[in-house]
């Protein structure tokens, strides 16, 4: 990460601040994976980021097998047998018979059992009638079954040699199932990043303890800890720092030697009681600070030697918005994954905005509701304060309003970013 022109004037007008798009471009340009690879058992691999491509060493399923409980037969024999087959053998799952199906014969077969050689079609047991005559067992199968009916072909899920997953992908539950289905018991993943969480502010207290006039419980710690839970990281809590330059600086300095990422909240502006920016400037390099967005303007990105520094604002709404928009993709890239882009789709606004400031991008807390015609509309949490956790709770996403939009009328299309697209359930 090398010096680009840095913005360090907090009295800048929005039009001179770094725009959202440019901030994302800067992050993408400056960042790459820092995590080494490790091999882990599949049991430990959930939500981890793959460090290898995975190619199936064999077909899944391995052999043609029955999709139902029923009777397997050779479709060619259909006409000759008139649907009337002699029962020759019985094949259960896990017990391949290997015995060639005799002419005009059928096999009793169960779901997942390997088709006996020669059989190609299965009739469901519910549609068949069994029959005994002269001590011999027969089955009458219905007409009209196409060749291959109720039969799963070898390799129909995954063919031998097929690439099923690529390095950089996060292992979701269904991906783990796919890896397991190929027989692989371990995978190479990127090691988890070590992330330090730091809250700053003389007023902050941890929940569970007493509170006095002027104090505030440290809700951001729990917000950020849980948000980090959607990423492959190990969190260490460095507690709450006082608004004292020396303490902030020494804590950050010590942490920079031990962690891949330091994530702070609060103290990010340039007030007399804000010391995070100074600490970053004294210890490392600031790559980005002061964005033309609302909420979250004082968002900070920098580095202290090898450690990446992310300074989030203190207001809970701003902290969450900045985490989702910037910290989440940054941590993902550092951890070997992709730069995570939010899902976005356009929906009609169910609200008016008389006057929005130009030159900055705004993110409202939003929720979707169907109108009388059943069409989804974006509603805005009407109270504005960026300290209101209630707005975050009522929302199921963010509404993104670009820089050049200065007013919104009901029915105008607005961009909705669902929380689910950020990995929040
Ligand atoms: P700051 O960014 O330090 O100026 O803080 C802005 C606002 O956010 C202040 O009202 C703080 O009390 C509040 N705040 C800062 N950190 C936290 C936190 N960890 N949890 C809840 N509120 C916070
Ligand atoms: Mg503060």
């Amino acid at each position: 990460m090398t010096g680009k022109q840095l913005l360090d004037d907090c009295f800048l007008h929005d039009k001179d601040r770094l725009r959202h798009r440019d901030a994302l471009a800067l992050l993408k340009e400056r960042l790459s994976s820092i995590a080494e690879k490790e091999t882990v058992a599949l049991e430990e691999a959930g939500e981890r980021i793959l460090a290898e491509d995975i190619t199936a060493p064999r077909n899944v399923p391995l052999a043609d097998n029955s999709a139902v409980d029923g009777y397997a037969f050779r479709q060619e024999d259909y006409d000759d047998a008139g649907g009337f087959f002699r029962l020759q053998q019985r094949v259960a799952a896990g017990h391949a018979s290997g015995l060639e199906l005799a002419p005009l014969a059928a096999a009793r077969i169960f779901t997942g059992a390997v088709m006996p050689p020669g059989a190609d079609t299965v009739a469901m047991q519910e549609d068949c009638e069994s029959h005994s005559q002269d001590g011999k067992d027969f089955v009458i199968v219905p007409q009209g079954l196409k060749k291959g009916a109720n039969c799963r072909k070898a390799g129909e899920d995954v063919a031998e040699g097929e690439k099923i997953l690529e390095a950089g992908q996060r292992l979701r539950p269904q991906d783990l199932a796919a890896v397991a289905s190929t027989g692989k018991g371990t995978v190479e993943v990127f090691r988890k990043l070590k992330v330090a969480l730091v809250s700053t502010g003389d007023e902050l207290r941890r929940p569970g303890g007493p509170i006095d006039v002027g104090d505030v419980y440290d809700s951001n710690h729990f917000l950020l800890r849980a948000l980090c839970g959607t990423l492959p990281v190990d969190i260490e809590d460095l507690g709450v720092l006082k608004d004292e330059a020396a303490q902030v600086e020494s804590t950050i300095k010590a942490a920079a030697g031990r962690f891949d990422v330091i994530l702070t909240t609060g103290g990010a502006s340039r007030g007399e009681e804000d010391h995070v920016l100074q600490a970053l400037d004294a210890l490392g390099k600031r790559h980005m600070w002061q964005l033309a967005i609302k909420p979250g303007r004082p968002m900070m990105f920098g580095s202290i030697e090898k450690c990446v520094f992310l300074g989030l604002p203190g207001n809970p709404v701003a902290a969450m918005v900045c985490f989702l928009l910037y910290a989440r993709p940054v941590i993902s890239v550092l951890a070997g994954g992709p730069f995570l882009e939010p899902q976005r789709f356009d929906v009609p606004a169910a609200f008016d905005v008389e006057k929005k400031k130009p030159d900055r991008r705004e993110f409202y807390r939003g929720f979707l509701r169907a109108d009388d015609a059943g069409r989804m509309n974006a509603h805005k949490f009407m109270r504005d304060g960026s300290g209101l956790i209630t707005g975050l709770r009522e929302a199921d996403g963010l509404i993104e309003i670009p820089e050049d939009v200065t007013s919104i009328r009901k029915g105008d299309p607005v961009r909705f970013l669902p929380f689910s697209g950020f990995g929040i359930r």
Side-chain angles (χ1 to χ4, degrees):
M1 287 179 261
T2 48
K4 228 189 180 179
Q5 214 214 319
L6 301 172
L7 294 164
D8 56 3
D9 183 351
C10 63
F11 302 108
L12 288 178
H13 186 270
D14 275 327
K15 72 176 164 28
D16 302 316
R17 292 198 174 94
L18 195 63
R19 289 192 164 204
H20 177 63
R21 197 184 314 108
D22 299 327
L24 294 180
L26 184 146
L27 294 173
K28 283 181 194 167
E29 174 199 313
R30 302 272 167 105
L31 293 164
S32 56
S33 171
I34 57 166
E36 302 85 18
K37 298 172 184 183
E38 63 183 13
T39 302
V40 296
L42 212 45
E43 288 86 338
E44 311 300 324
E47 299 296 316
R48 301 291 294 274
I49 296 173
L50 259 184
E52 61 172 340
D53 293 346
I54 295 200
T55 301
R58 54 182 66 84
N59 280 331
V60 183
L62 199 57
D64 292 359
N65 67 92
S66 179
V68 296
D69 288 346
Y71 296 88
F73 59 97
R74 191 182 278 110
Q75 217 259 354
E76 240 175 58
D77 286 353
Y78 227 164
D79 289 342
D80 293 341
F84 197 78
F85 290 97
R86 181 170 66 79
L87 259 189
Q88 180 209 8
Q89 52 178 311
R90 183 179 187 278
V91 209
H95 303 273
S97 90
L99 180 66
E100 174 89 22
L101 197 67
L104 305 182
R108 178 77 172 114
I109 197 163
F110 298 90
T111 307
V114 173
M115 298 286 280
D120 52 32
T121 306
V122 180
M124 283 171 77
Q125 64 182 20
E126 296 87 323
D127 301 332
C128 297
E129 212 179 292
S130 52
H131 190 71
S132 281
Q133 197 178 310
D134 303 331
K136 286 188 178 148
D137 291 325
F138 294 86
V139 62
I140 303 168
V141 306
Q143 288 301 304
L145 286 170
K146 293 215 169 66
K147 185 172 178 177
N150 299 314
C151 172
R152 305 164 174 156
K153 302 302 282 177
E156 74 170 24
D157 190 3
V158 175
E160 180 183 334
E162 187 180 324
K163 193 203 277 181
I164 55 168
L165 293 166
E166 280 190 18
Q169 278 186 267
R170 182 177 56 90
L171 287 164
R172 304 167 300 164
Q174 58 269 48
D175 299 323
L176 297 173
V179 176
S181 78
T182 69
K184 222 171 134 54
T186 59
V187 281
E188 262 202 351
V189 295
F190 290 107
R191 75 166 168 83
K192 289 187 184 180
L193 295 187
K194 288 185 281 198
V195 175
L197 279 187
V198 183
S199 302
T200 71
D202 282 352
E203 74 282 28
L204 297 181
R205 299 286 174 269
R206 282 290 164 89
I211 191 167
D212 222 335
V213 178
D215 293 346
V216 172
Y217 283 122
D218 179 3
S219 46
N220 288 358
H221 173 74
F222 299 88
L223 174 72
L224 297 173
R225 176 186 277 276
L227 287 169
C228 282
T230 66
L231 296 164
V233 298
D234 283 324
I235 295 288
E236 196 171 310
D237 175 16
L238 300 191
V240 176
L241 304 187
K242 292 279 172 213
D243 290 318
E244 288 164 13
Q247 194 203 6
V248 172
E249 191 174 320
S250 67
T251 305
I252 290 175
K253 184 175 181 187
R258 287 208 297 133
F259 293 92
D260 299 306
V261 177
I262 299 175
L263 193 59
T264 67
T265 168
S269 305
R270 194 168 255 182
E272 275 165 44
E273 300 290 335
D274 297 325
H275 304 289
V276 177
L277 186 70
Q278 277 163 259
L280 173 62
D281 286 347
L283 299 168
K285 240 187 197 135
R286 188 200 317 170
H287 301 290
M288 173 179 116
W289 178 63
Q290 290 280 322
L291 307 184
I293 61 164
K294 186 190 171 193
R297 193 177 78 187
M299 171 72 206
M300 208 184 290
F301 162 59
S303 54
I304 303 169
E305 295 186 356
K306 282 188 183 155
C307 177
V308 168
F309 187 92
L310 293 163
L312 303 177
N315 277 308
V317 175
M320 181 161 174
V321 167
C322 287
F323 182 93
L324 296 178
L325 297 176
Y326 309 113
R328 188 174 126 86
V330 164
I331 294 172
S332 174
V333 168
L334 295 173
F339 192 94
L340 295 168
E341 306 276 358
Q343 288 172 345
R344 293 185 160 85
F345 49 89
D346 285 342
V347 275
F351 57 88
D352 293 314
V353 173
E354 286 293 315
K355 214 169 166 197
K356 172 194 155 288
K357 277 199 181 167
D359 299 321
R360 75 180 180 199
R361 187 165 292 234
E362 299 196 357
F363 295 89
Y364 307 147
R365 277 69 70 212
F367 48 94
L368 296 178
R369 292 286 180 274
D371 61 16
D372 292 343
R375 207 169 51 144
M376 281 300 176
N377 284 275
H379 292 253
K380 173 181 183 296
F381 181 71
M382 285 324 266
R383 289 188 289 150
D384 239 1
S386 94
L388 300 173
I389 300 172
T390 305
L392 295 172
R393 214 157 38 78
E394 293 205 348
D396 40 38
L398 300 175
I399 300 168
E400 179 174 4
I401 309 296
E403 291 81 358
D404 55 349
V405 173
T406 52
S407 68
I408 297 164
R409 291 268 155 270
K410 276 193 191 71
D412 287 352
V414 288
R415 198 137 281 194
F416 192 78
L417 287 54
F419 282 154
S420 58
F422 293 105
I424 303 171
R425 284 174 268 271

